[in-house]
Amino acid sequence: MKKPRKSSALDRRQFLAATGGLLAAAVPGAAKIADVVGSAAPSPSPRAPKPSGSLRKIPIGVFDPVYEHLSLDAMLDKVSTLGLEAMEIGTGGYPNNRHCPLDELIADRSKAKAWQKKFEDKGIHVAALSCHGNPVHPDAKHAQKDIDTFRKTVLLAEMLDVKVIVGFSGCPGGTPQDAQPNWITYRWPPEYAQMQDWQWKERVIPYWKEAAKYARDHGIKRLAFEMHPNFVVYNPRTLMKLREAVGEEIGANCDLSHLFWQGCDPVEVIQFLGRQGALFHAHMKDTTFYPENVNKYGVLNFAFEKSDLDSASETFRAVGYGHSASLWKSVIKAYMDVGFEGILSIENEDPILPGEVGVERAAYVLRNVRRELLGE
């Protein structure tokens, strides 16, 4: 049992209730959070959307690593029982490939089709294949493994007519001699600017130009990058920088959990990327803030384990447990408004509601929000 927090005018539940689950646009700095905590007056619902009969019913799905303890058949039974309509399947890299024997499938088209049919028989669409890795890692063996996984994933996507491949941009070292990645976000002192320029010019852009051409040659035109810390694409601007340098095959896996803590407004992000035609996929994951720790430590103080929450500034939560349902309603409405053609893929990394529990809670929120928007 975790000890209750001290030194806060409002506990976490009171804070969220009082603020209507304010999004991270209200959290770029400590002063703003202090203002929020100091006021118990309810905030208006952000951009309250109205139902519309013309809105697309975006499928709700789930990313399969959360079911790594289940066999493929057991997972499909579970997902079908939840009423989810689509899945994002890991093919290797950091998500691994627990439910997708990649080498076996690309070697035998009939096996690949039989694998896909297992999903279809349960009414589940394989909407995206994910190979999150670091293909520009300074360790050549590490990089080559992720490069090979990406290329094999392209071949499987072509075989199965899956339109979206999800991954990371990767991060190289800062010099040709480095043995580990060097994530650079601040261009001073000047040697950091020199390293960052070298990374993009010599490693990142050349690799992705070649990789995007390979994907395009195999009919895959949507490479969805998760904007994630520790990789060169970590926000909408760096995503667009790579897209401008490489081509329209580059787009976003819009995982707002990584953008909330950076101070992004989720609706603004969706509208911005939607106008560019750069929204290919969406992870459904929330982030909650602990204002008393943000005030002391800032936002670069993330916790991944439940045992670390007492000193954390923020952590991942299931959808609706970091920001209010009204905020998520505005988010889903924004996806509908920009004509988003992907799925809402639940990725649960909640240390408080782990595994299947977090998926079920997120699915409940998303289904209700979608139902309200569609007037069902």
Side-chain angles (χ1 to χ4, degrees), residues 31-53:
K32 290 190 177 182
I33 287 195
D35 290 341
V36 171
V37 176
S39 172
S43 299
S45 298
R47 300 178 181 82
K50 297 179 181 179
S52 170

Side-chain angles (χ1 to χ4, degrees), residues 273-300:
L273 294 175
R275 287 193 299 269
Q276 314 301 320
L279 273 177
F280 295 163
H281 191 65
H283 274 175
M284 294 288 104
K285 190 169 68 186
D286 210 338
T287 299
T288 193
F289 293 87
Y290 304 136
E292 65 273 26
N293 288 334
V294 175
N295 290 344
K296 288 184 291 188
Y297 309 133
V299 297
L300 297 179

Side-chain angles (χ1 to χ4, degrees), residues 131 133-136 143-144 146-155 157-158 163 165-170 203-225 242 245-251 280:
C131 54
N134 189 353
V136 293
Q144 193 59 54
D146 289 341
I147 290 168
D148 292 344
T149 298
F150 171 78
R151 286 179 167 248
K152 291 174 183 178
T153 302
V154 167
L155 296 179
E158 178 184 31
K163 303 297 186 184
I165 293 177
V166 186
F168 292 136
S169 60
R203 292 291 187 265
V204 178
I205 292 173
Y207 170 75
W208 282 111
K209 279 187 174 180
E210 179 182 348
K213 181 182 185 303
Y214 181 82
R216 183 169 60 249
D217 289 346
H218 289 275
I220 308 303
K221 300 178 180 179
R222 295 190 167 198
L223 305 180
F225 287 147
L242 188 60
V246 171
E248 293 185 354
E249 289 80 16
I250 306 299
F280 295 163

Side-chain angles (χ1 to χ4, degrees), residues 47 265-277 279 330 333-335 337-338:
R47 300 178 181 82
D265 179 314
V267 173
E268 291 289 339
V269 168
I270 293 165
Q271 291 174 345
F272 169 70
L273 294 175
R275 287 193 299 269
Q276 314 301 320
L279 273 177
S330 296
K333 175 64 160 51
Y335 278 118
D337 285 342
V338 300

Side-chain angles (χ1 to χ4, degrees), residues 28-233:
K32 290 190 177 182
I33 287 195
D35 290 341
V36 171
V37 176
S39 172
S43 299
S45 298
R47 300 178 181 82
K50 297 179 181 179
S52 170
S54 64
L55 298 176
R56 172 182 179 254
K57 185 176 183 177
I58 303 174
I60 299 170
V62 63
F63 188 18
D64 77 306
V66 72
Y67 298 114
E68 63 182 0
H69 60 292
L70 297 178
S71 68
L72 174 60
D73 290 336
M75 177 185 73
L76 292 176
D77 287 341
K78 174 73 68 172
V79 173
S80 177
T81 299
L82 284 176
L84 299 178
E85 303 135 334
M87 289 202 73
E88 170 188 357
I89 301 295
T91 60
Y94 298 114
N96 215 328
N97 62 331
R98 175 71 177 87
H99 304 109
C100 179
L102 183 59
D103 289 337
E104 182 181 330
L105 296 184
I106 64 172
D108 188 331
R109 181 178 293 271
S110 64
K111 287 186 178 180
K113 290 293 186 180
W115 178 83
Q116 187 179 44
K117 189 173 185 300
K118 282 180 174 284
F119 292 83
E120 294 172 346
D121 288 347
K122 292 289 187 178
I124 299 167
H125 173 53
V126 178
L129 300 177
S130 289
C131 54
H132 297 70
N134 189 353
V136 293
H137 196 289
D139 182 311
K141 289 183 179 180
H142 186 139
Q144 193 59 54
K145 183 179 179 181
D146 289 341
I147 290 168
D148 292 344
T149 298
F150 171 78
R151 286 179 167 248
K152 291 174 183 178
T153 302
V154 167
L155 296 179
L156 183 61
E158 178 184 31
M159 196 178 290
L160 301 179
D161 195 29
V162 174
K163 303 297 186 184
V164 178
I165 293 177
V166 186
F168 292 136
S169 60
C171 184
T175 71
Q177 293 76 38
D178 286 358
Q180 295 294 338
N182 189 341
W183 186 44
I184 302 167
T185 63
Y186 199 77
R187 291 175 60 83
W188 195 91
E191 58 266 31
Y192 288 90
Q194 293 168 6
M195 287 190 290
Q196 189 181 59
D197 291 342
W198 178 86
Q199 289 179 323
W200 281 82
K201 181 180 178 181
E202 300 297 333
R203 292 291 187 265
V204 178
I205 292 173
Y207 170 75
W208 282 111
K209 279 187 174 180
E210 179 182 348
K213 181 182 185 303
Y214 181 82
R216 183 169 60 249
D217 289 346
H218 289 275
I220 308 303
K221 300 178 180 179
R222 295 190 167 198
L223 305 180
F225 287 147
E226 187 165 340
M227 296 170 282
H228 193 290
N230 284 328
F231 297 105
V232 295
V233 167

Side-chain angles (χ1 to χ4, degrees), residues 235-371:
N235 64 12
R237 185 65 201 100
T238 49
L239 177 82
M240 293 308 299
K241 178 179 178 179
L242 188 60
R243 181 179 169 93
E244 290 158 7
V246 171
E248 293 185 354
E249 289 80 16
I250 306 299
N253 165 28
C254 193
D255 186 332
L256 295 172
S257 70
H258 305 301
L259 302 182
F260 284 132
W261 68 264
Q262 294 184 60
C264 294
D265 179 314
V267 173
E268 291 289 339
V269 168
I270 293 165
Q271 291 174 345
F272 169 70
L273 294 175
R275 287 193 299 269
Q276 314 301 320
L279 273 177
F280 295 163
H281 191 65
H283 274 175
M284 294 288 104
K285 190 169 68 186
D286 210 338
T287 299
T288 193
F289 293 87
Y290 304 136
E292 65 273 26
N293 288 334
V294 175
N295 290 344
K296 288 184 291 188
Y297 309 133
V299 297
L300 297 179
N301 180 41
F302 215 92
F304 296 92
E305 304 294 335
K306 190 174 181 179
S307 59
D308 295 330
L309 292 181
D310 278 336
S311 59
S313 296
E314 64 271 311
T315 193
F316 295 135
R317 295 304 315 267
V319 170
Y321 286 78
H323 296 82
S324 68
S326 63
L327 184 280
W328 281 100
K329 187 174 181 180
S330 296
V331 165
I332 306 310
K333 175 64 160 51
Y335 278 118
M336 292 177 174
D337 285 342
V338 300
F340 176 60
E341 297 177 354
I343 69 168
L344 306 174
S345 181
I346 298 167
E347 181 188 32
N348 188 49
E349 295 177 340
D350 188 325
I352 301 170
L353 298 171
E356 298 173 24
V357 176
V359 174
E360 293 168 8
R361 302 287 179 87
Y364 179 82
V365 172
L366 292 171
R367 276 197 301 267
N368 284 330
V369 162
R370 188 179 67 177
R371 189 178 297 119

